Coordinates of all heavy atoms in Angstrom, one line a residue:
M910 N 104.8 -28.0 -19.4 CA 103.9 -29.0 -20.1 C 102.6 -29.2 -19.3 O 102.7 -29.4 -18.1 CB 104.6 -30.4 -20.2 CG 104.0 -31.3 -21.2 SD 105.2 -32.0 -22.3 CE 106.0 -33.1 -21.1
T911 N 101.5 -29.3 -20.0 CA 100.2 -29.4 -19.3 C 99.5 -30.7 -19.9 O 99.5 -30.9 -21.2 CB 99.3 -28.1 -19.6 OG1 100.1 -27.0 -19.1 CG2 98.0 -28.3 -18.8
T912 N 98.8 -31.4 -19.1 CA 98.0 -32.5 -19.6 C 96.6 -32.3 -19.1 O 96.4 -32.0 -17.9 CB 98.5 -33.9 -19.0 OG1 99.8 -34.1 -19.4 CG2 97.7 -35.0 -19.6
V913 N 95.6 -32.4 -20.1 CA 94.3 -32.3 -19.8 C 93.5 -33.5 -20.4 O 93.9 -34.1 -21.4 CB 93.6 -31.0 -20.4 CG1 94.2 -29.7 -19.7 CG2 93.9 -30.9 -22.0
T914 N 92.4 -33.8 -19.7 CA 91.6 -34.9 -20.3 C 90.2 -34.4 -20.4 O 89.6 -33.8 -19.5 CB 91.6 -36.1 -19.4 OG1 93.0 -36.5 -19.1 CG2 90.8 -37.3 -19.9
Y915 N 89.7 -34.5 -21.6 CA 88.3 -34.0 -21.9 C 87.4 -35.2 -22.2 O 87.8 -36.2 -22.7 CB 88.2 -33.2 -23.1 CG 89.0 -31.9 -23.0 CD1 90.0 -31.6 -23.8 CD2 88.6 -30.9 -22.1 CE1 90.8 -30.5 -23.8 CE2 89.3 -29.7 -22.0 CZ 90.4 -29.5 -22.8 OH 91.1 -28.3 -22.7
T916 N 86.1 -35.2 -21.9 CA 85.2 -36.0 -22.3 C 84.6 -35.6 -23.7 O 84.2 -34.3 -23.8 CB 84.0 -36.2 -21.4 OG1 84.5 -36.7 -20.1 CG2 82.9 -37.2 -21.9
V917 N 84.6 -36.4 -24.7 CA 84.1 -36.0 -26.1 C 82.9 -37.0 -26.4 O 83.3 -38.1 -27.0 CB 85.2 -36.0 -27.0 CG1 84.7 -35.6 -28.4 CG2 86.3 -35.0 -26.6
P918 N 81.7 -36.7 -26.1 CA 80.7 -37.7 -26.3 C 80.4 -38.1 -27.7 O 79.9 -39.1 -28.0 CB 79.4 -36.9 -25.8 CG 79.9 -35.8 -24.9 CD 81.3 -35.5 -25.4
A919 N 80.9 -37.3 -28.7 CA 80.7 -37.6 -30.1 C 81.6 -38.7 -30.7 O 81.4 -39.1 -31.7 CB 80.9 -36.3 -30.9
I920 N 82.5 -39.2 -29.8 CA 83.4 -40.3 -30.2 C 82.5 -41.5 -30.4 O 81.9 -41.9 -29.4 CB 84.5 -40.4 -29.3 CG1 85.5 -39.4 -29.3 CG2 85.2 -41.8 -29.5 CD1 86.7 -39.4 -28.3
H921 N 82.6 -42.2 -31.6 CA 81.8 -43.4 -31.7 C 82.5 -44.5 -32.4 O 81.9 -45.6 -32.5 CB 80.4 -43.1 -32.3 CG 80.5 -42.5 -33.7 ND1 80.8 -43.3 -34.8 CD2 80.4 -41.2 -34.1 CE1 80.9 -42.5 -35.9 NE2 80.7 -41.2 -35.4
C922 N 83.6 -44.3 -33.0 CA 84.3 -45.3 -33.7 C 85.8 -45.0 -33.9 O 86.2 -43.9 -33.6 CB 83.6 -45.6 -35.1 SG 83.9 -44.3 -36.3
G923 N 86.5 -45.9 -34.5 CA 87.9 -45.7 -34.8 C 88.2 -44.5 -35.7 O 89.3 -43.9 -35.5
H924 N 87.3 -44.3 -36.6 CA 87.5 -43.0 -37.4 C 87.6 -41.8 -36.7 O 88.3 -40.9 -36.9 CB 86.4 -43.0 -38.5 CG 86.5 -41.8 -39.4 ND1 85.7 -40.7 -39.3 CD2 87.4 -41.5 -40.4 CE1 86.0 -39.8 -40.2 NE2 87.1 -40.2 -40.9
C925 N 86.7 -41.7 -35.7 CA 86.6 -40.5 -34.8 C 88.0 -40.4 -34.1 O 88.5 -39.2 -33.9 CB 85.5 -40.6 -33.7 SG 83.9 -40.8 -34.4
I926 N 88.5 -41.5 -33.6 CA 89.8 -41.5 -32.8 C 90.9 -40.9 -33.8 O 91.7 -40.1 -33.4 CB 90.1 -42.9 -32.4 CG1 89.1 -43.5 -31.5 CG2 91.5 -42.9 -31.8 CD1 88.8 -42.8 -30.2
H927 N 90.9 -41.5 -35.0 CA 91.9 -41.0 -36.0 C 91.8 -39.5 -36.3 O 92.8 -38.9 -36.2 CB 91.7 -41.9 -37.2 CG 92.7 -41.6 -38.3 ND1 94.0 -41.9 -38.2 CD2 92.5 -40.8 -39.4 CE1 94.6 -41.4 -39.3 NE2 93.8 -40.6 -40.0
T928 N 90.6 -39.1 -36.5 CA 90.3 -37.7 -36.9 C 90.8 -36.8 -35.8 O 91.5 -35.8 -36.0 CB 88.8 -37.4 -37.2 OG1 88.4 -38.3 -38.2 CG2 88.6 -36.0 -37.5
I929 N 90.4 -37.1 -34.5 CA 90.8 -36.3 -33.3 C 92.3 -36.3 -33.2 O 92.9 -35.2 -33.0 CB 90.0 -36.7 -32.1 CG1 88.6 -36.4 -32.2 CG2 90.7 -36.1 -30.9 CD1 87.7 -37.1 -31.1
E930 N 92.9 -37.4 -33.2 CA 94.3 -37.5 -32.9 C 95.1 -36.7 -34.0 O 96.1 -36.1 -33.8 CB 94.8 -39.0 -32.8 CG 94.2 -39.6 -31.5 CD 94.8 -41.0 -31.3 OE1 95.3 -41.6 -32.2 OE2 94.6 -41.5 -30.1
M931 N 94.6 -36.9 -35.3 CA 95.3 -36.2 -36.4 C 95.2 -34.7 -36.3 O 96.2 -33.9 -36.4 CB 94.8 -36.8 -37.7 CG 95.6 -36.4 -38.9 SD 94.8 -37.0 -40.4 CE 93.2 -36.1 -40.4
E932 N 93.9 -34.2 -36.2 CA 93.6 -32.8 -36.2 C 94.2 -32.1 -35.0 O 94.9 -31.1 -35.2 CB 92.1 -32.6 -36.2 CG 91.4 -33.1 -37.5 CD 91.6 -32.2 -38.7 OE1 92.0 -31.0 -38.5 OE2 91.3 -32.6 -39.8
V933 N 94.0 -32.6 -33.9 CA 94.6 -31.9 -32.7 C 96.1 -32.0 -32.7 O 96.8 -31.0 -32.4 CB 94.0 -32.5 -31.3 CG1 94.7 -31.9 -30.1 CG2 92.5 -32.4 -31.3
G934 N 96.6 -33.1 -33.2 CA 98.1 -33.3 -33.3 C 98.8 -32.3 -34.1 O 100.0 -32.0 -34.0
E935 N 98.0 -31.7 -35.0 CA 98.6 -30.7 -36.0 C 98.7 -29.3 -35.4 O 99.3 -28.4 -35.9 CB 97.7 -30.6 -37.3 CG 98.0 -31.7 -38.2 CD 97.1 -31.8 -39.5 OE1 96.4 -30.8 -39.6 OE2 97.3 -32.7 -40.3
L936 N 98.0 -29.0 -34.2 CA 98.1 -27.8 -33.6 C 99.5 -27.6 -33.0 O 100.1 -28.6 -32.5 CB 97.2 -27.7 -32.4 CG 95.8 -27.2 -32.5 CD1 95.1 -27.2 -31.1 CD2 95.8 -25.8 -33.1
Q937 N 100.1 -26.5 -33.2 CA 101.5 -26.2 -32.7 C 101.5 -26.3 -31.2 O 100.7 -25.7 -30.5 CB 101.9 -24.7 -33.2 CG 103.2 -24.8 -33.8 CD 103.7 -23.3 -34.1 OE1 102.9 -22.5 -34.3 NE2 105.0 -23.2 -34.1
G938 N 102.5 -27.0 -30.7 CA 102.6 -27.1 -29.3 C 102.1 -28.4 -28.7 O 102.3 -28.7 -27.5
I939 N 101.4 -29.2 -29.5 CA 100.8 -30.4 -28.9 C 101.9 -31.5 -28.8 O 102.7 -31.7 -29.8 CB 99.7 -30.9 -29.9 CG1 98.6 -29.9 -30.0 CG2 99.2 -32.3 -29.4 CD1 97.8 -29.7 -28.7
Q940 N 102.0 -32.1 -27.7 CA 103.0 -33.1 -27.5 C 102.4 -34.5 -27.8 O 103.1 -35.4 -28.2 CB 103.6 -33.0 -26.1 CG 104.2 -31.7 -25.7 CD 105.2 -31.2 -26.7 OE1 106.1 -32.1 -27.1 NE2 105.3 -30.0 -27.1
S941 N 101.2 -34.7 -27.3 CA 100.6 -36.0 -27.5 C 99.1 -35.9 -27.4 O 98.5 -35.0 -26.7 CB 101.1 -37.1 -26.5 OG 100.6 -36.9 -25.2
V942 N 98.4 -36.8 -28.2 CA 96.9 -36.8 -28.1 C 96.6 -38.3 -28.1 O 97.0 -39.1 -28.9 CB 96.3 -36.3 -29.4 CG1 94.8 -36.2 -29.3 CG2 96.9 -34.9 -29.8
K943 N 95.8 -38.7 -27.1 CA 95.4 -40.1 -27.0 C 93.8 -40.1 -26.8 O 93.3 -39.7 -25.7 CB 96.1 -40.7 -25.8 CG 96.0 -42.2 -25.8 CD 96.9 -42.8 -24.7 CE 96.9 -44.3 -24.8 NZ 95.6 -44.8 -24.4
A944 N 93.1 -40.5 -27.8 CA 91.6 -40.7 -27.7 C 91.3 -42.1 -27.4 O 91.9 -43.0 -27.9 CB 91.0 -40.1 -29.0
D945 N 90.3 -42.3 -26.6 CA 89.8 -43.6 -26.3 C 88.3 -43.8 -26.7 O 87.4 -43.0 -26.2 CB 89.9 -43.9 -24.8 CG 89.7 -45.3 -24.5 OD1 88.5 -45.8 -24.5 OD2 90.7 -46.0 -24.1
Q946 N 88.1 -44.8 -27.5 CA 86.7 -45.0 -28.1 C 85.7 -45.4 -26.9 O 84.5 -45.1 -27.0 CB 86.9 -46.1 -29.2 CG 85.6 -46.3 -30.0 CD 85.8 -47.3 -31.0 OE1 86.9 -47.5 -31.5 NE2 84.7 -48.0 -31.4
N947 N 86.2 -46.3 -26.0 CA 85.3 -46.9 -25.0 C 84.9 -45.9 -24.0 O 83.8 -45.8 -23.5 CB 86.0 -48.1 -24.4 CG 86.1 -49.2 -25.4 OD1 85.3 -49.5 -26.2 ND2 87.4 -49.8 -25.4
T948 N 85.9 -45.1 -23.4 CA 85.6 -44.1 -22.4 C 85.2 -42.8 -23.0 O 84.7 -41.9 -22.2 CB 86.9 -43.9 -21.5 OG1 87.9 -43.4 -22.3 CG2 87.3 -45.2 -20.9
K949 N 85.4 -42.6 -24.3 CA 85.1 -41.3 -25.0 C 85.8 -40.1 -24.3 O 85.3 -39.0 -24.2 CB 83.6 -41.0 -24.9 CG 82.7 -42.0 -25.6 CD 81.3 -41.6 -25.7 CE 80.4 -42.7 -26.2 NZ 80.5 -43.0 -27.6
K950 N 87.0 -40.4 -23.9 CA 87.9 -39.4 -23.3 C 89.1 -39.2 -24.2 O 89.6 -40.0 -24.9 CB 88.4 -39.8 -21.9 CG 87.3 -39.7 -20.9 CD 87.8 -40.2 -19.5 CE 86.7 -39.9 -18.5 NZ 85.3 -40.3 -18.9
V951 N 89.6 -37.9 -24.2 CA 90.7 -37.5 -25.0 C 91.7 -36.9 -24.0 O 91.4 -36.0 -23.4 CB 90.4 -36.5 -26.1 CG1 91.6 -36.2 -26.9 CG2 89.2 -37.1 -27.0
Q952 N 92.9 -37.5 -23.9 CA 94.0 -37.0 -23.2 C 95.0 -36.2 -24.0 O 95.5 -36.8 -25.0 CB 94.7 -38.0 -22.4 CG 95.7 -37.5 -21.3 CD 96.4 -38.7 -20.5 OE1 97.2 -39.4 -21.1 NE2 96.0 -38.8 -19.3
I953 N 95.3 -35.0 -23.7 CA 96.2 -34.2 -24.5 C 97.3 -33.5 -23.7 O 97.0 -33.0 -22.6 CB 95.3 -33.0 -25.2 CG1 94.2 -33.7 -26.0 CG2 96.2 -32.2 -26.1 CD1 93.1 -32.6 -26.4
T954 N 98.5 -33.7 -24.1 CA 99.6 -33.0 -23.4 C 100.1 -32.0 -24.4 O 100.3 -32.2 -25.6 CB 100.7 -34.1 -23.1 OG1 100.2 -35.0 -22.3 CG2 101.9 -33.4 -22.4
F955 N 100.4 -30.8 -23.8 CA 100.7 -29.7 -24.7 C 101.6 -28.6 -24.0 O 101.7 -28.6 -22.8 CB 99.5 -29.0 -25.3 CG 98.6 -28.3 -24.3 CD1 98.8 -26.9 -23.9 CD2 97.6 -29.0 -23.6 CE1 98.0 -26.3 -22.9 CE2 96.8 -28.4 -22.6 CZ 97.0 -27.0 -22.3
D956 N 102.3 -27.9 -24.8 CA 103.0 -26.7 -24.3 C 102.6 -25.5 -25.1 O 101.9 -25.7 -26.2 CB 104.5 -26.9 -24.6 CG 105.2 -27.8 -23.6 OD1 105.0 -27.6 -22.5 OD2 105.9 -28.7 -24.1
A957 N 103.0 -24.3 -24.8 CA 102.7 -23.1 -25.6 C 103.3 -23.3 -27.0 O 104.4 -24.0 -27.0 CB 103.2 -21.9 -24.9
P958 N 102.7 -22.8 -28.0 CA 101.6 -21.9 -28.1 C 100.2 -22.5 -28.0 O 99.2 -21.8 -28.1 CB 101.8 -21.2 -29.3 CG 102.4 -22.2 -30.3 CD 103.3 -23.0 -29.3
A959 N 100.1 -23.8 -27.8 CA 98.8 -24.5 -27.7 C 98.2 -24.1 -26.3 O 98.9 -23.8 -25.4 CB 99.0 -26.0 -27.7
S960 N 96.9 -24.1 -26.2 CA 96.3 -23.7 -25.0 C 94.9 -24.4 -24.9 O 94.4 -25.0 -26.0 CB 96.0 -22.2 -24.9 OG 95.0 -21.8 -26.0
E961 N 94.4 -24.6 -23.7 CA 93.1 -25.2 -23.7 C 92.0 -24.6 -24.5 O 91.2 -25.2 -25.1 CB 92.6 -25.1 -22.2 CG 93.1 -26.3 -21.3 CD 92.2 -26.4 -20.1 OE1 91.0 -26.7 -20.3 OE2 92.7 -26.2 -19.0
E962 N 92.1 -23.2 -24.6 CA 91.2 -22.5 -25.4 C 91.2 -22.9 -26.9 O 90.2 -23.2 -27.6 CB 91.5 -21.0 -25.3 CG 90.4 -20.1 -25.6 CD 90.7 -18.6 -25.3 OE1 91.8 -18.2 -25.7 OE2 90.0 -18.0 -24.6
K963 N 92.5 -23.0 -27.4 CA 92.7 -23.4 -28.8 C 92.3 -24.8 -29.0 O 91.7 -25.2 -30.1 CB 94.2 -23.2 -29.2 CG 94.6 -21.7 -29.3 CD 96.0 -21.6 -29.7 CE 96.5 -20.2 -29.7 NZ 98.0 -20.1 -29.9
I964 N 92.6 -25.7 -28.1 CA 92.2 -27.1 -28.3 C 90.7 -27.3 -28.3 O 90.2 -27.9 -29.1 CB 92.9 -28.0 -27.2 CG1 94.4 -28.0 -27.3 CG2 92.3 -29.3 -27.2 CD1 95.2 -28.4 -26.1
K965 N 90.0 -26.6 -27.4 CA 88.6 -26.7 -27.3 C 87.9 -26.1 -28.5 O 87.0 -26.6 -29.0 CB 88.0 -26.1 -26.0 CG 88.5 -26.9 -24.8 CD 87.8 -26.3 -23.6 CE 86.5 -27.0 -23.3 NZ 86.0 -26.8 -21.9
A966 N 88.5 -25.0 -29.0 CA 87.9 -24.4 -30.2 C 88.1 -25.3 -31.4 O 87.2 -25.5 -32.2 CB 88.7 -23.1 -30.5
L967 N 89.3 -26.0 -31.6 CA 89.5 -26.9 -32.6 C 88.5 -28.0 -32.6 O 87.9 -28.4 -33.5 CB 90.9 -27.3 -32.7 CG 91.2 -28.4 -33.7 CD1 91.1 -27.8 -35.1 CD2 92.6 -29.0 -33.5
L968 N 88.4 -28.7 -31.4 CA 87.5 -29.8 -31.3 C 86.1 -29.5 -31.7 O 85.4 -30.2 -32.3 CB 87.6 -30.3 -29.7 CG 88.8 -31.1 -29.5 CD1 88.9 -31.3 -27.9 CD2 88.9 -32.4 -30.2
A969 N 85.6 -28.3 -31.3 CA 84.3 -27.8 -31.6 C 84.2 -27.6 -33.1 O 83.2 -28.0 -33.8 CB 84.0 -26.5 -30.9
E970 N 85.2 -27.1 -33.8 CA 85.3 -26.9 -35.2 C 85.2 -28.1 -36.0 O 84.6 -28.2 -37.0 CB 86.6 -26.2 -35.5 CG 86.7 -25.5 -36.8 CD 88.1 -24.8 -37.0 OE1 88.4 -24.0 -36.1 OE2 88.9 -25.2 -37.8
I971 N 85.8 -29.3 -35.5 CA 85.8 -30.5 -36.3 C 84.5 -31.4 -35.7 O 84.5 -32.6 -36.0 CB 87.1 -31.2 -36.1 CG1 87.4 -31.6 -34.7 CG2 88.2 -30.4 -36.8 CD1 88.7 -32.5 -34.6
N972 N 83.7 -30.8 -35.0 CA 82.5 -31.4 -34.6 C 82.7 -32.5 -33.5 O 81.9 -33.5 -33.5 CB 81.7 -32.0 -35.8 CG 81.1 -30.9 -36.7 OD1 80.6 -29.9 -36.2 ND2 81.3 -31.1 -38.0
Y973 N 83.7 -32.4 -32.7 CA 83.9 -33.2 -31.6 C 84.0 -32.3 -30.4 O 85.1 -32.3 -29.7 CB 85.1 -34.1 -31.7 CG 85.0 -35.2 -32.8 CD1 85.6 -35.0 -34.1 CD2 84.1 -36.2 -32.6 CE1 85.4 -36.0 -35.0 CE2 83.9 -37.2 -33.6 CZ 84.6 -37.1 -34.8 OH 84.4 -38.0 -35.8
P974 N 83.0 -31.6 -30.0 CA 83.1 -30.6 -28.8 C 83.5 -31.4 -27.5 O 82.9 -32.5 -27.3 CB 81.7 -30.0 -28.7 CG 80.8 -30.9 -29.5 CD 81.6 -31.6 -30.6
A975 N 84.4 -30.8 -26.8 CA 84.7 -31.3 -25.5 C 83.7 -30.9 -24.5 O 83.4 -29.7 -24.4 CB 86.1 -30.8 -25.1
E976 N 83.2 -31.8 -23.7 CA 82.1 -31.5 -22.8 C 82.5 -31.4 -21.3 O 81.7 -31.1 -20.5 CB 80.8 -32.3 -23.0 CG 80.2 -32.0 -24.4 CD 78.8 -32.5 -24.5 OE1 78.3 -33.1 -23.5 OE2 78.2 -32.2 -25.5
G977 N 83.7 -31.9 -21.0 CA 84.1 -31.9 -19.6 C 85.6 -31.9 -19.5 O 86.3 -32.4 -20.4
L978 N 86.1 -31.3 -18.6 CA 87.5 -31.3 -18.3 C 87.7 -32.2 -17.0 O 87.2 -31.8 -16.0 CB 88.1 -29.9 -18.1 CG 89.5 -29.8 -17.5 CD1 90.6 -30.4 -18.5 CD2 89.9 -28.3 -17.3
I979 N 88.6 -33.1 -17.1 CA 89.0 -33.9 -16.0 C 90.5 -33.6 -15.7 O 91.3 -33.9 -16.5 CB 88.8 -35.4 -16.1 CG1 87.4 -35.7 -16.4 CG2 89.3 -36.1 -14.9 CD1 87.2 -36.3 -17.8
S980 N 90.8 -32.8 -14.7 CA 92.2 -32.4 -14.4 C 93.0 -33.6 -14.2 O 92.7 -34.4 -13.2 CB 92.2 -31.4 -13.3 OG 91.6 -30.2 -13.7
L981 N 94.0 -33.8 -14.9 CA 95.1 -34.8 -14.8 C 94.4 -36.2 -14.5 O 94.8 -36.9 -13.6 CB 96.1 -34.5 -13.7 CG 97.0 -33.4 -14.1 CD1 98.0 -33.1 -12.9 CD2 97.8 -33.7 -15.3
Ligands
CU704 CU1 83.5 -42.4 -35.7

């Protein structure tokens, strides 16, 4: 199990939080997704077949590109 935290500057309201948590949560292997409106950070815990590459690709696809990785 891996936990990563990304900064997602495009987060601006509760709808963004909902969209990110729902979309990322649908990826196979995702254990939890927690997005924070105030800090604009998204913490994701996952197992294979999910990967950082797939998560970042999805976030970019739904217009919430991850701009930084904060390890644990
Ligand atoms: Cu929003």
Side-chain angles (χ1 to χ4, degrees):
M910 197 135 72
T911 305
T912 300
V913 291
T914 304
Y915 297 116
T916 299
V917 180
I920 290 174
H921 60 79
C922 70
H924 177 255
C925 300
I926 300 300
H927 178 75
T928 302
I929 290 169
E930 291 185 345
M931 190 183 64
E932 294 283 346
V933 175
E935 282 178 3
L936 269 183
Q937 230 187 332
I939 300 294
Q940 304 302 320
S941 75
V942 185
K943 197 169 179 296
D945 189 291
Q946 189 178 331
N947 296 317
T948 61
K949 299 183 189 293
K950 286 178 173 45
V951 182
Q952 187 181 70
I953 303 164
T954 301
F955 64 94
D956 282 314
S960 65
E961 272 201 62
E962 200 173 54
K963 287 179 187 171
I964 291 165
K965 292 185 89 167
L967 175 66
L968 286 169
E970 196 178 302
I971 63 173
N972 294 316
Y973 292 107
E976 292 198 355
L978 167 65
I979 302 116
S980 291
L981 290 178

